[in-house]
Amino acid sequence: MVQGGLTLMIVGWLAYQIRSLPTKAFRFCRSFFTRVIEVREKHPLYDAWLGLLTDGAFRPGGPRTLEVRTTSDDYDESAATSAFAAGSDDFWARLCGRWCKVSVQREESSGATADLVRRFIINVEVLFGTREDLARMLDAAKARANVMDDRQLVDLCNKYGSSNTMSLPKRAPNTLCLPNEFFDGLELRVRQFSESREDYERLGIPWRLGILLHGEPGTGKTSIAHSLASTLNRRLAVIPLADMRSDEELVSAFEGVREDSIVLIEDVDCAFHQRENEEASGITFSGFLNCIDGMIAPQNGRVLIMSTNHVDRLDPALVRPGRADIKLEVPLLDRDAAMDYVDRLFAHVPNRHDVVNEVMAMERPTSAMLINRLMRQDWRRSTSASQSQAPGPPQVGTRPRSRWGSGIRGGWR
């Protein structure tokens, strides 16, 4: 009887192995003949990959499940553009001559509290793909992303860990009304930082950079951040502290920042006024410090720019080195810089120098005052003759380079 039971057990085991043999063979072939690409939502090329796979879907008209994705333009909601992209679904697509099984799903949650910040991940399983095929796919995604090279992508990060994307014109450095070499020093410093990952890791220093821009209202602090992102070809992520009601929401907003983005926090003095006003906007001062310089702060080369009109109101703990590595005072309007600015961009305005003299006679003049005054002139080029005399359209990155620290004005510390 025992022998019969043992025989049945062996027969059952053999039957199970035989029945599972096709499945095991399929898994072996699948692992041997396919390669898998993972693209997470925070990656800068996520939208490009999603667009490529949507266009290459085998099903006519695209995947079965489509998501409506919206990009607003120039802060004008009426100019927002919407397009379909693959939603949460599995589908087949052909990309760079290879068949791919695509899965667009949310990442696995680590707990119930993380449900609100679960982001999407694309898994692309390439049949009979080689490393060369994967390299061509990556080049195709980069080429698709480069279509927007003339536009600046700005992500408005919200408390849910997601963001709304705006498409703005890129801001060239030569459209800034600043003293000579002022912007170049900042750009060079950020470039040096971006290329120094190995040095930071060797020294055990977190690889992140904090910049504090302070000065009078209207001196161009936000424009500097915009131009820096455009020149370095990075996305700009804006985190509005006033919209955050708890430290958890602030953490979610920071987690929604895409890789290789410059983070901009404007008017940081309005959120915190010394340590005694620790919960001025619903988030704690310590929670904010942990997000920018604590254990939960990323060490992926993040550049954080904070701006303030009143640097004296900021707590010393916020502006110490390591949190604000570069403190740069954006100066009031300089006569030489103003003359150079109007000659460069408003050469067709006959009385441009009179406008500069008028603005410089004002109390505490700023570049915003100058631009506002110029806009009241007949500043548009109306004839081909004036266009031929005026300089051509500015190109990003065309200003002459300067050595770091040479001729820097405005209070580098």
Side-chain angles (χ1 to χ4, degrees):
M1 189 171 179
V2 174
Q3 184 177 3
L6 183 61
T7 302
L8 287 176
M9 184 177 66
I10 295 174
V11 171
W13 179 81
L14 288 174
Y16 171 78
Q17 294 298 325
I18 294 174
R19 186 173 59 179
S20 62
L21 188 60
T23 301
K24 291 182 177 180
F26 174 75
R27 289 177 179 173
F28 172 79
C29 293
R30 184 178 183 181
S31 63
F32 189 80
F33 293 109
T34 64
R35 293 179 180 270
V36 179
I37 302 173
E38 289 186 350
V39 186
R40 303 183 187 277
E41 188 176 4
K42 292 180 67 174
H43 194 276
L45 295 179
Y46 178 85
D47 291 333
W49 276 101
L50 193 64
L52 278 177
L53 295 168
T54 302
D55 294 344
F58 174 72
R59 178 189 176 99
R64 182 172 61 89
T65 303
L66 295 172
E67 176 190 1
V68 178
R69 300 178 72 88
T70 302
T71 300
S72 57
D73 187 84
D74 297 295
Y75 296 96
D76 183 2
E77 294 183 0
S78 63
T81 58
S82 298
F84 285 116
S88 300
D89 202 356
D90 297 337
F91 60 95
W92 286 89
R94 190 165 178 82
L95 184 60
C96 296
R98 294 294 182 183
W99 285 105
C100 307
K101 186 177 184 297
V102 183
S103 175
V104 183
Q105 303 293 340
R106 287 192 181 273
E107 297 187 66
E108 292 295 329
S109 174
S110 58
T113 57
D115 287 342
L116 289 177
V117 294
R118 288 173 58 198
R119 274 169 281 277
F120 284 98
I121 182 173
I122 303 174
N123 285 286
V124 184
E125 188 174 0
V126 185
L127 300 182
F128 305 104
T130 63
R131 289 290 296 270
E132 291 73 18
D133 294 327
L134 270 58
R136 286 200 301 270
M137 293 178 184
L138 181 59
D139 291 339
K142 291 180 179 178
R144 188 181 182 97
N146 288 341
V147 173
M148 295 293 290
D149 265 358
D150 61 335
R151 307 293 289 176
Q152 176 63 54
L153 297 182
V154 180
D155 298 322
L156 302 179
C157 301
N158 57 41
K159 59 185 179 181
Y160 301 111
S162 58
S163 61
N164 298 320
T165 302
M166 299 188 305
S167 169
L168 306 178
K170 283 202 170 184
R171 185 74 185 263
N174 57 3
T175 64
L176 300 175
C177 186
L178 292 170
N180 290 333
E181 301 183 344
F182 185 92
F183 179 86
D184 299 299
L186 177 61
E187 179 195 348
L188 181 58
R189 177 65 177 89
V190 176
R191 287 188 185 276
Q192 290 175 342
F193 162 79
S194 300
E195 298 169 356
S196 304
R197 178 172 187 169
E198 294 182 358
D199 295 329
Y200 275 78
E201 293 178 348
R202 177 174 54 84
L203 297 173
I205 302 174
W207 189 41
R208 49 180 177 254
L209 180 68
I211 301 172
L212 177 66
L213 301 177
H214 62 94
E216 296 278 344
T219 51
K221 296 181 288 294
T222 302
S223 297
I224 291 174
H226 184 177
S227 182
L228 186 64
S230 298
T231 304
L232 299 177
N233 200 27
R234 289 192 177 196
R235 298 176 79 104
L236 189 63
V238 179
I239 298 181
L241 293 183
D243 294 346
M244 306 299 153
R245 294 293 177 262
S246 67
D247 288 347
E248 290 76 13
E249 292 181 357
L250 182 62
V251 170
S252 297
F254 270 95
E255 288 182 346
V257 176
R258 302 200 182 199
E259 296 180 7
D260 203 32
S261 296
I262 293 178
V263 182
L264 174 62
I265 299 179
E266 298 184 276
D267 299 321
V268 68
D269 58 286
C270 296
F272 304 106
H273 180 197
Q274 302 286 331
R275 200 178 295 266
E276 63 268 15
N277 199 16
E278 187 169 330
E279 301 184 15
S281 64
I283 55 179
T284 66
F285 185 72
S286 59
F288 179 67
L289 294 183
N290 285 332
C291 283
I292 65 174
D293 188 42
M295 291 299 297
I296 63 174
Q299 301 187 31
N300 58 355
R302 184 208 65 193
V303 177
L304 171 67
I305 298 179
M306 298 179 290
S307 71
T308 177
N309 296 330
H310 307 282
V311 67
D312 56 300
R313 297 181 183 178
L314 299 181
D315 192 289
L318 178 61
V319 297
R320 70 162 176 79
R323 291 171 180 155
D325 304 288
I326 299 174
K327 303 182 185 71
L328 177 59
E329 180 182 6
V330 185
L332 294 170
L333 188 63
D334 177 84
R335 182 180 295 275
D336 293 337
M339 289 294 186
D340 178 65
Y341 175 77
V342 297
D343 288 341
R344 187 170 64 246
L345 298 180
F346 294 89
H348 54 287
V349 178
N351 63 333
R352 59 187 182 278
H353 292 169
D354 295 335
V355 172
V356 171
N357 293 330
E358 177 184 336
V359 173
M360 292 303 301
M362 298 179 181
E363 183 180 1
R364 307 188 70 78
T366 65
S367 57
M369 294 179 181
L370 175 62
I371 295 172
N372 179 267
R373 181 63 184 84
L374 287 167
M375 292 298 102
R376 287 185 280 168
Q377 300 296 122
D378 185 14
W379 58 273
R380 294 181 179 85
R381 297 187 178 98
S382 56
T383 65
S384 58
S386 62
Q387 289 180 356
S388 62
Q389 296 173 359
Q395 300 295 324
V396 172
T398 56
R399 288 176 60 131
R401 294 281 187 262
S402 64
R403 292 183 58 85
W404 171 242
S406 63
I408 299 299
R409 300 177 60 182
W412 284 95
R413 297 183 177 89

